[in-house]
Amino acid sequence: MSSAKQLQAKLFSPQLQSNGVPKPSPPTVSSPDPATSGLAAARPPLSINVPHPPTIDVQILPKTVKQPAANSPHSAEAEHEDVRRTYRDKLVEQLGGNYEGVERYRLIQDGKRERHWKRWGPYLSERQWATVREDYSANGDAWAHFPHEHARSRAYRWGEDGLAGISDNHQRLCFSLALWNGVDPILKERLFGVTGHQGNHGEDVKELYWYLDSTPTHSYMKYLYKYPQRPFPYEELVRENVSRDRQVNEYELLDTEAFEEDRYWDVFVEYAKDADDPDSTSIRITAYNRGPDPATLHIIPQLWFPNTWSWAIPPPPRPQLYLSAPGVVTATEKTLGTFHLYCTVSPPPGGPVYDQNGADDGDDDGIVPELMFTENDTNFKRLYNGNNATPYVKDAFHDHIISSHQPSRSQKVNGYANGDGHESGSDSGNQTPTLHSSSAFINPEKKGTKSGAHYTFENVPGRGGVVVVRLKLTQNTPDTDLAINDEELFDDNIDERRREADEFYGRLVAGSVTDDLKAIMRQALGGMLWTKQYYKFIQTEWLNGDPAQPPPPPERKWVRNREWRHLHVADVLSMPDKWEYPFFAAWDTAFHCIPLAMVDPAFAKKQLDLLTREWYMKPDGQIPAYEWNFSDVNPPVHAWATFRIFKIERKMYGHEDLDFLERVFQKLLINFTWWVNRKDQGGNNVFEGGFLGLDNIGAFNRSEPLPTGGVLRQADGTAWMAFFCVNMLNMALELAKHNPTYEDIASKFFEHFIFIADAMTYRGMHDENLSLWNDQDGMYYDAIHWGPGHSQQLPIRSLVGLIPFYATLTLEPAVINRFPGFKKRMEWFIDNRPDMAGRNLANMKVAGKGQRRLLALVDKDRLVRILEKMLDENEFLSDHG
């Protein structure tokens, strides 16, 4: 066996002994990483084994060849041993019995502002194109105004996007991955999907990717993207989805031939912060060839600054990226400081672990990246046949790497002179246009506001061949950070962060929970943590346009959100989905915060706190819904979420954050008043609400004026307000333990609940159809009200009729007895208003188990009647219920 084969066997094939003889019982898996997965070769259907979260086993990855150090091996070994002593070991020694885990310690440091562990995280959107923020059209058609075709060439105004990306918490500097398989017409820089106009069921991402893991401080994160080796079927996906109606399934990526014969790459991206330095991040990109044959993969990590200079007059100074040393991109920005991205030489491709012959003989020197620089500026020449302000533009790397993406030589390079420095004349006669030199598109001075490190891995073996790229984003230098140039220390750092993640989630789950359930919970929470995004929206700037840009059409001011002039958002927020819904939605956020409170109560509390702050909430008390229409109405679930988070933190971490509870409670009083004043026009305690988060729930759009005229009295809107009442009551009683003033407020919400319950279910003397309860059908319905004596229920059985279940509260006897003022008022109300207290809701006079009292909209008889329908397979439990 040649020396090259022996080295490859040592690095890539742990099943071989040093003499090249196979060890007994070689494994049958195609990858050393237990988290990898394959696509079945058979179609249809094409199946995927979803990867499991990583284990603590250290995988063997390719390494470059190192020369032995010239100094004493003993001193070097001692220094290496000191470095290898883990941060966890040191922390256990330091904290003793107070040790609660490394990640928990980081959360405490972050909360005390001792370390800014959340400065860097997965805050990059997965779709900034076709968002309302980037829409400057006259008709508000965000899908058409900024399509996917523009994304690679057009600078964003309000945010950035990328593949498996990260940024700082103010999105001053961004990092993400780009890929090229050698046949696609463009680089894979961002996830693709069909728009709301193109999808037969609306917008939909058409990619295969997974959030595998994340800690709350993002000290460790892992992501998987599956990249086809065949041309990505952009046009086919759009064409097929446009041609389908709503009655058929969506056309998905797996319905195409993109993954035939398992010809694809598993691309894993891992981020690991240094043990005690939140501003230093190791980045490891590992790609496995799952196809049967050798293939070539281009990996292009990108570091760039968002465009902040194209909007104001005079323009602010640009931040700068430049080549400061071979393989080193330095980034300078006045508020962030100076960071370096170390793009180290990568080892040659490795063979699959079961390949006893290792990789092919070849150059062992490693893969040296080509460092490219351009500007994050719009290519006006490509998009609008205009002139560019700079010869180096946003899509330069596409032109530089992919010759078919370049403009013909008959065109100016990016609207400037061509590669030889002279203006291009028009082609004459039948002359065939030629392509430009690829070097014409990137800055030869190696500076700009966007950079890329182009790694080309040729002939990566099939069936599990692997390539690895290691990068370090840090403010340190190789003299102070040995892991920058030491691949073993680099990998040790990542593996240690992964073990700390194992420790954190291991402590989180108590009791007899199966390993599968633990893995499900961990990956679900990891996905929640990955789905954070920096969201910026300053309404006055957005509505009026920018001084350095053409003024928006005047009719645009009347399309949406004009009454939200106070809105000034620039925060890291929890998104429903960073591709399909890359914007916050108020009630979605409330639900997100419940699981997030289990791992990071500080982040969960801040989310709810922000939505009630004066730069979010309108002066009249309305909470913004979502960017398509901030004035739309989401269900009032914030009181419920606030109290749940308070109790979760108290139970799991022993901390009662009364300041948070009281602060949000005070703001929710304003929001409650908005609901009463704006959504109960007649003051009858029966509420409207409109959309309320339920798409396609009725016969018409509930957010628009009724085609029949009149006012829609909503069963769900009224039930949500009863739910709001009981949660405000619960919070007031908790606060009354520390401030007796809240006892009176608790009484107010108790009585308001009774009034809502009575109005929702009682047939009035002068309007026999005002009730939302239909006694004949045994169901709650919406009703249209035209005036006194003129109402009509809408007998549509839907989720609307089930929401009254939610408004339920059990009052413990210990709580009632603790507050004599509240108890006296409650008993007075029950005794003196028996017509309301005992009518059509749970009977409060009858105590339950342990003398508990029940507040509920639905009494026992109605509960049974509704459940008969809800559990009936011919109604709610049907295939289409």
Side-chain angles (χ1 to χ4, degrees):
M1 177 181 285
S2 68
S3 59
K5 288 287 187 183
Q6 289 176 354
L7 175 64
Q8 290 160 351
K10 177 181 177 182
L11 294 179
F12 306 143
S13 302
Q15 289 78 14
L16 300 183
Q17 301 179 26
S18 59
N19 59 3
V21 178
K23 292 182 179 180
S25 303
T28 58
V29 297
S30 61
S31 166
D33 188 342
T36 56
S37 61
L39 297 180
R43 287 180 79 249
L46 198 59
S47 62
I48 293 180
N49 295 320
V50 178
H52 293 292
T55 66
I56 62 171
D57 297 330
V58 179
Q59 58 178 323
I60 298 178
L61 296 175
K63 305 269 198 307
T64 53
V65 180
K66 285 190 169 56
Q67 298 298 325
N71 58 347
S72 167
H74 299 290
S75 60
E77 184 176 339
E79 182 180 357
H80 217 58
E81 277 303 312
D82 185 64
V83 172
R84 282 182 174 277
R85 188 165 176 260
T86 69
Y87 183 67
R88 182 182 181 278
D89 296 336
K90 299 173 184 177
L91 206 58
V92 169
E93 181 180 322
Q94 174 187 334
L95 299 177
N98 294 322
Y99 177 80
E100 296 179 303
V102 179
E103 181 64 13
R104 178 65 183 155
Y105 183 71
R106 293 193 181 104
L107 286 169
I108 294 171
Q109 283 187 312
D110 189 82
K112 293 180 177 179
R113 300 179 182 271
E114 296 173 356
R115 294 279 197 283
H116 198 343
W117 281 107
K118 299 174 191 173
R119 175 179 283 123
W120 295 92
Y123 310 142
L124 202 62
S125 178
E126 285 166 345
R127 177 173 64 83
Q128 183 66 18
W129 56 275
T131 59
V132 167
R133 281 155 290 150
E134 301 294 339
D135 175 27
Y136 284 78
S137 66
N139 62 355
D141 188 354
W143 295 115
H145 181 72
F146 202 133
H148 177 265
E149 292 76 12
H150 284 198
R152 66 184 181 275
S153 305
R154 185 171 160 187
Y156 293 126
R157 171 64 176 89
W158 294 101
E160 295 291 326
D161 60 16
L163 187 66
I166 62 172
S167 78
D168 69 280
N169 61 326
H170 295 290
Q171 204 156 100
R172 293 162 291 189
L173 183 61
C174 304
F175 173 91
S176 75
L177 176 65
L179 302 165
W180 189 48
N181 54 17
V183 293
D184 274 351
I186 59 175
L187 300 179
K188 175 60 72 173
E189 290 181 304
R190 54 186 55 81
L191 297 175
F192 174 74
V194 293
T195 68
H197 300 323
Q198 296 166 343
N200 60 324
H201 298 148
E203 66 271 25
D204 186 34
V205 64
K206 302 297 183 183
E207 302 273 13
L208 299 180
Y209 62 102
W210 286 264
Y211 306 124
L212 295 182
D213 207 357
S214 180
T215 57
T217 65
H218 311 295
S219 57
Y220 178 75
M221 299 191 297
K222 190 170 185 178
Y223 179 102
L224 168 62
Y225 176 71
K226 291 182 178 288
Y227 186 40
Q229 295 173 5
R230 290 185 171 87
F232 194 92
Y234 295 102
E235 295 181 0
E236 179 184 348
L237 287 166
V238 172
R239 183 177 62 252
E240 289 296 327
N241 278 281
V242 167
S243 67
R244 296 188 177 198
D245 62 30
R246 292 183 180 273
Q247 305 304 314
V248 298
N249 292 334
E250 300 165 7
Y251 190 70
E252 303 290 1
L253 182 59
L254 291 181
D255 296 322
T256 73
E257 296 182 354
F259 289 93
E260 283 287 330
E261 300 178 291
D262 283 354
R263 295 183 185 272
Y264 71 96
W265 300 92
D266 265 337
V267 183
F268 292 89
V269 183
E270 291 174 280
Y271 296 96
K273 297 178 182 179
D274 280 5
D276 198 27
D277 184 356
D279 289 318
S280 292
T281 303
S282 301
I283 306 165
R284 185 168 66 189
I285 303 164
T286 312
Y288 295 93
N289 179 1
R290 299 304 186 196
D293 301 317
T296 296
L297 178 65
H298 300 251
I299 297 178
I300 310 104
Q302 300 188 54
L303 185 73
W304 75 97
F305 289 109
N307 187 320
T308 57
W309 51 85
S310 295
W311 325 111
I313 297 178
R318 296 185 181 216
Q320 190 175 36
L321 296 165
Y322 60 93
L323 184 69
S324 58
V328 183
V329 178
T330 295
T332 59
E333 198 271 342
K334 62 180 181 180
T335 61
L336 188 62
T338 300
F339 278 79
H340 311 285
L341 180 66
Y342 294 90
C343 308
T344 59
V345 176
S346 286
V353 69
Y354 55 80
D355 181 0
Q356 299 176 2
N357 293 320
D360 292 335
D361 283 322
D363 186 4
D364 292 331
D365 292 337
I367 309 300
V368 180
E370 176 194 16
L371 296 188
M372 309 173 294
F373 293 82
T374 186
E375 301 292 340
N376 188 11
D377 282 299
T378 297
N379 188 341
F380 289 98
K381 178 64 179 178
R382 170 166 274 128
L383 295 177
Y384 313 112
N385 200 30
N387 292 318
N388 290 326
T390 169
Y392 310 111
V393 288
K394 182 177 178 180
D395 57 11
F397 302 158
H398 296 259
D399 287 327
H400 180 72
I401 295 173
I402 307 173
S403 60
S404 61
H405 192 271
Q406 298 175 9
S408 67
R409 199 171 178 83
S410 61
Q411 297 175 293
K412 297 178 183 179
V413 177
N414 296 332
Y416 265 69
N418 64 24
D420 59 11
H422 300 284
E423 288 282 329
S424 297
S426 59
D427 293 320
S428 59
N430 296 323
Q431 180 179 356
T432 302
T434 58
L435 299 178
H436 300 281
S437 167
S438 62
S439 61
F441 301 97
I442 58 175
N443 192 338
E445 296 181 8
K446 301 293 184 182
K447 64 181 182 179
T449 50
K450 181 179 179 181
S451 65
H454 182 198
Y455 293 83
T456 304
F457 297 95
E458 298 180 343
N459 297 316
V460 181
R463 301 299 185 194
V466 60
V467 298
V468 182
V469 171
R470 296 176 176 88
L471 310 107
K472 189 70 177 280
L473 181 63
T474 179
Q475 294 180 308
N476 299 324
T477 66
D479 293 334
T480 57
D481 186 350
L482 301 179
I484 291 173
N485 290 322
D486 188 319
E487 291 169 337
E488 189 172 359
L489 288 177
F490 185 100
D491 287 345
D492 286 347
N493 182 61
I494 293 179
D495 294 332
E496 186 61 28
R497 295 296 85 74
R498 189 174 64 181
R499 290 189 180 93
E500 291 164 3
D502 293 340
E503 176 189 53
F504 176 80
Y505 284 106
R507 286 172 172 261
L508 188 67
V509 181
S512 57
V513 181
T514 66
D515 289 342
D516 281 347
L517 289 178
K518 290 178 182 178
I520 290 170
M521 188 183 78
R522 176 172 175 171
Q523 191 165 347
L525 290 169
M528 293 290 297
L529 293 165
W530 262 98
T531 315
K532 296 180 184 179
Q533 178 185 312
Y534 176 76
Y535 183 94
K536 186 175 183 180
F537 188 96
I538 302 173
Q539 197 269 4
T540 52
E541 295 181 13
W542 174 81
L543 197 64
N544 296 330
D546 297 300
Q549 298 295 318
E555 56 268 40
R556 176 175 175 271
K557 291 188 176 183
W558 304 95
V559 174
R560 61 170 61 93
N561 296 331
R562 63 186 177 88
E563 64 272 26
W564 290 83
R565 292 186 175 274
H566 72 289
L567 200 67
H568 189 116
V569 181
D571 297 292
V572 173
L573 301 175
S574 178
M575 297 290 126
D577 184 292
K578 290 202 296 186
W579 194 97
E580 296 195 12
Y581 306 101
F583 45 82
F584 75 91
W587 83 310
D588 296 65
T589 299
F591 285 108
H592 300 171
C593 289
I594 305 301
L596 287 171
M598 297 170 58
V599 292
D600 190 358
F603 178 77
K605 289 184 294 185
K606 185 175 181 180
Q607 296 292 288
L608 294 182
D609 199 5
L610 279 172
L611 286 171
T612 61
R613 295 307 299 266
E614 53 273 20
W615 53 90
Y616 282 75
M617 179 187 280
K618 280 180 70 176
D620 62 8
Q622 185 178 11
I623 293 176
Y626 43 83
E627 67 178 26
W628 287 95
N629 184 3
F630 286 123
S631 293
D632 221 336
V633 183
N634 282 171
V637 295
H638 283 72
W640 166 76
T642 298
F643 197 49
R644 286 281 294 161
I645 290 169
F646 173 82
K647 292 191 293 183
I648 288 170
E649 184 179 27
R650 180 171 60 186
K651 181 176 182 179
M652 294 187 66
Y653 300 103
H655 176 56
E656 281 193 343
D657 194 344
L658 290 167
D659 289 339
F660 158 74
L661 188 66
E662 186 170 18
R663 184 171 60 251
V664 178
F665 181 84
Q666 295 286 351
K667 292 297 185 67
L668 290 176
L669 287 174
I670 305 172
N671 181 240
F672 187 90
T673 303
W674 176 86
W675 271 90
V676 171
N677 291 339
R678 295 298 183 92
K679 297 302 175 183
D680 179 18
Q681 291 185 4
N684 298 313
N685 294 306
V686 178
F687 292 82
E688 305 145 46
F691 165 63
L692 288 180
L694 298 178
D695 294 296
N696 308 316
I697 200 67
F700 39 76
N701 186 345
R702 302 195 303 170
S703 293
E704 299 293 335
L706 296 177
T708 61
V711 175
L712 186 66
R713 302 292 179 86
Q714 295 181 212
D716 55 340
T718 307
W720 281 123
M721 280 303 289
F723 181 69
F724 199 170
C725 277
V726 296
N727 283 288
M728 293 295 279
L729 164 60
N730 225 356
M731 293 169 68
L733 290 174
E734 182 67 37
L735 292 168
K737 296 177 183 177
H738 309 274
N739 185 343
T741 301
Y742 286 98
E743 200 171 339
D744 292 342
I745 300 177
S747 296
K748 174 260 180 301
F749 282 107
F750 167 77
E751 294 186 16
H752 207 139
F753 171 82
I754 300 296
F755 282 112
I756 291 173
D758 189 67
M760 184 175 186
T761 59
Y762 176 60
R763 294 179 178 272
M765 294 176 59
H766 305 293
D767 187 356
E768 293 304 319
N769 292 315
L770 185 58
S771 172
L772 303 181
W773 170 257
N774 188 299
D775 202 48
Q776 180 178 347
D777 290 357
M779 198 69 185
Y780 286 100
Y781 296 134
D782 289 346
I784 301 176
H785 183 65
W786 290 277
H790 296 86
S791 297
Q792 175 63 53
Q793 288 184 346
L794 300 175
I796 300 172
R797 294 184 183 179
S798 69
L799 190 60
V800 161
L802 304 182
I803 289 176
F805 283 164
Y806 302 165
T808 303
L809 174 65
T810 300
L811 292 174
E812 298 289 339
V815 173
I816 297 173
N817 294 329
R818 182 169 183 170
F819 303 110
F822 173 77
K823 180 180 181 181
K824 181 178 180 180
R825 180 65 187 174
M826 181 183 72
E827 291 177 345
W828 181 94
F829 195 90
I830 293 172
D831 294 337
N832 290 274
R833 300 297 302 270
D835 55 325
M836 296 182 65
R839 181 175 59 201
N840 296 330
L841 68 154
N843 190 345
M844 290 193 62
K845 286 189 174 182
V846 179
K849 184 177 181 180
Q851 297 301 306
R852 295 183 179 95
R853 300 289 182 127
L854 177 65
L855 280 177
L857 288 180
V858 181
D859 64 12
K860 180 179 179 181
D861 292 338
R862 292 186 179 182
L863 175 65
V864 171
R865 296 188 68 185
I866 296 173
L867 287 178
E868 286 175 347
K869 299 169 184 62
M870 191 184 82
L871 303 177
D872 186 349
E873 293 184 357
N874 295 316
E875 295 210 27
F876 282 91
L877 288 188
S878 70
D879 292 339
H880 307 288

